[in-house]
Amino acid sequence: MREHEVYSKLRAPPSSRMVLRLDGRGFHRLTESLDFDRPYDEAFRDLMIRTCLDLMDEFSPSLIYTFSDEINVLLDSVPFAGRVEKLDSVFSGFASSSFTRGALEAGFSPVKPVSFDCRVIPISSDIVPEYFRSRQDESWRNCLNSYAYWTLRREVGARRAAERLRGLKSDSLHDLLFERGVNISRVPAWQRRGVGVYRVPHRVRGYNPLRDEEVSAVRMRVKVDLELPLFTDEFFEGLMR
């Protein structure tokens, strides 16, 4: 009966790199129900990071980049023979269960099941930096707009805040925040640029009993980068060697 399965033969190109972009479904309601601080909450950030670490441990991607309720997973090779319905379902299901488990262990009890959606983005190596720069630009826009909205909302309420911000350009948003004592360029880097999870070389020391001497070796370990720089071509050259 496989011929009746929708998209069962739809596959990503096997020779390409791939980005899987996960987005939290209805997370604005989730953060409200769990009483997280707005516009940013470290507990929510840590739940997203934990989900990224679980994805890193399970699938060994080159990079995971997250901001807000979005997770971007960069894979060097295509798993599941590139089957799109398999990629979409496994990664979204894995992220949903990971986030839920982390929330429960941290003492949060979501009132509804948590879910992520997933989209498959085959991508060539030369386009990878451009893609992640575009997501980091979105992180910055999200930061600026969120601070403007929540700062103004505390003054005039949700409806009037949305009305006053409609159509404002970034310069006007900067001015609005600065007049209220918020220098957006000085908020934590993870709020402006997002968080990176990737492997870096690390030298470890050991002992060789046969030669009775200390030895050292280079191992790779996972880094959670809360001070992520602006993405450059050089950053990705180091990751994708």
Side-chain angles (χ1 to χ4, degrees):
M1 300 296 287
R2 184 176 292 273
E3 64 271 16
H4 295 284
E5 294 181 15
V6 179
Y7 299 133
S8 65
K9 295 182 180 180
L10 182 61
R11 298 175 186 267
S15 60
S16 66
R17 292 182 186 272
M18 176 180 292
V19 173
L20 296 169
R21 189 161 81 229
L22 300 152
D23 287 288
R25 176 175 173 268
F27 267 39
H28 62 286
R29 293 189 297 273
L30 172 71
T31 55
E32 183 177 357
S33 68
L34 296 180
D35 198 28
F36 286 128
D37 290 336
R38 263 74 64 86
Y40 291 91
D41 187 287
E42 291 185 3
F44 177 78
R45 176 204 66 188
D46 291 345
L47 289 174
M48 293 295 291
I49 290 173
R50 172 172 174 156
T51 303
C52 293
L53 290 171
D54 283 345
L55 287 163
M56 177 66 75
D57 184 60
E58 183 73 13
F59 300 105
S60 298
S62 298
L63 169 70
I64 302 179
Y65 172 64
T66 183
F67 68 93
S68 185
D69 64 349
E70 176 178 309
I71 299 173
N72 294 271
V73 183
L74 174 63
L75 296 169
D76 287 331
S77 58
V78 180
F80 307 123
R83 291 171 57 192
V84 171
E85 92 287 3
K86 188 91 169 181
L87 291 161
D88 279 339
S89 60
V90 170
F91 275 81
S92 60
F94 188 92
S96 302
S97 60
S98 171
F99 186 96
T100 300
R101 185 182 67 173
L104 293 172
E105 291 180 358
F108 299 106
S109 299
V111 295
K112 291 185 177 181
V114 174
S115 61
F116 286 83
D117 65 39
C118 179
R119 64 206 69 186
V120 176
I121 307 171
I123 192 169
S124 60
S125 296
D126 58 319
I127 301 299
V128 167
E130 180 182 343
Y131 172 84
F132 280 91
R133 280 194 290 266
S134 73
R135 302 320 301 155
Q136 197 169 53
D137 289 344
E138 182 65 21
S139 174
W140 166 245
R141 287 190 292 270
N142 183 72
C143 178
L144 179 58
N145 291 330
S146 295
Y147 264 99
Y149 172 74
W150 285 100
T151 299
L152 194 57
R153 173 171 166 163
R154 294 184 184 104
E155 292 182 13
V156 299
R159 184 178 61 81
R160 291 185 61 192
E163 291 173 351
R164 288 179 58 177
L165 293 173
R166 188 173 298 116
L168 290 186
K169 304 298 184 182
S170 60
D171 288 348
S172 298
L173 297 178
H174 275 275
D175 292 342
L176 182 150
L177 288 169
F178 197 77
E179 291 168 359
R180 289 159 175 79
V182 179
N183 186 339
I184 195 68
S185 65
R186 294 186 179 179
V187 303
W190 64 269
Q191 299 180 6
R192 292 180 281 116
R193 297 178 181 173
V195 178
V197 179
Y198 52 95
R199 289 183 173 86
V200 294
H202 171 63
R203 187 167 293 279
V204 296
R205 294 191 174 276
Y207 174 71
N208 185 334
L210 298 178
R211 295 186 177 183
D212 189 28
E213 64 181 12
E214 285 190 354
V215 295
S216 65
V218 174
R219 299 284 186 268
M220 302 300 287
R221 67 178 180 184
V222 175
K223 176 179 181 177
V224 176
D225 197 343
L226 298 178
E227 298 286 337
L228 196 64
L230 291 173
F231 285 135
T232 62
D233 290 349
E234 291 73 20
F235 178 89
F236 287 95
E237 286 172 3
L239 285 178
M240 300 190 299
R241 287 173 183 169

